[in-house]
Amino acid sequence: MESLDYQAWTLDLARGRAEHPSGFSLEVEGDLRNPSGVAPANYPQGLSFADQARLLRSGMEALAAAANGSDAGSPKRSTVVNSRARRAEESARQFAEQRKDRPARPKLSLKKRD
């Protein structure tokens, strides 16, 4: 089999999809930089397992790099692809914010005290 160019990718950030000229494609679910799921498809015939892993890894790196580059110079925005994950991220961010009007609560620790 001929050598593959692991850097040649066609990216669709809105859908969380990367396509390689060999026919291989992958689609991520959740955040493009830290996905909750990855669906690879159409590995080229005769490709070794190591080269399959390398192809998958280079596709994931291309998506993450493009997601980082799309944020440059713009306000911080989510790279989460599907709407349910986006709502969960917004809800988590809302509860993570430390509001000043919220009463202080005692902290529970399972560590033994000396």
Side-chain angles (χ1 to χ4, degrees):
M1 174 164 210
E2 63 188 50
S3 176
L4 292 176
D5 179 10
Y6 292 97
Q7 305 305 316
W9 290 94
T10 303
L11 305 174
D12 183 356
L13 296 180
R15 289 179 35 203
R17 187 172 173 85
E19 294 183 22
H20 191 265
S22 67
F24 173 73
S25 66
L26 63 95
E27 194 164 333
V28 299
E29 184 177 314
D31 189 345
L32 294 175
R33 289 182 221 116
N34 188 16
S36 58
V38 179
N42 303 326
Y43 281 106
Q45 292 290 335
L47 199 61
S48 70
F49 292 121
D51 286 335
Q52 288 179 14
R54 184 176 175 195
L55 192 60
L56 176 63
R57 184 176 55 247
S58 66
M60 292 300 298
E61 289 170 352
L63 278 172
N68 285 337
S70 69
D71 290 343
S74 65
K76 176 125 176 81
R77 65 173 214 203
S78 175
T79 58
V80 175
V81 178
N82 72 22
S83 61
R84 187 168 59 172
R86 183 176 290 123
R87 284 192 304 270
E89 182 182 85
E90 290 168 0
S91 176
R93 188 177 300 123
Q94 177 185 7
F95 287 108
E97 292 175 355
Q98 296 297 324
R99 296 186 345 226
K100 293 177 183 162
D101 63 338
R102 197 163 88 190
R105 295 185 179 171
K107 293 186 172 129
L108 176 65
S109 175
L110 299 176
K111 293 182 180 178
K112 290 183 180 180
R113 295 185 184 174
D114 294 326

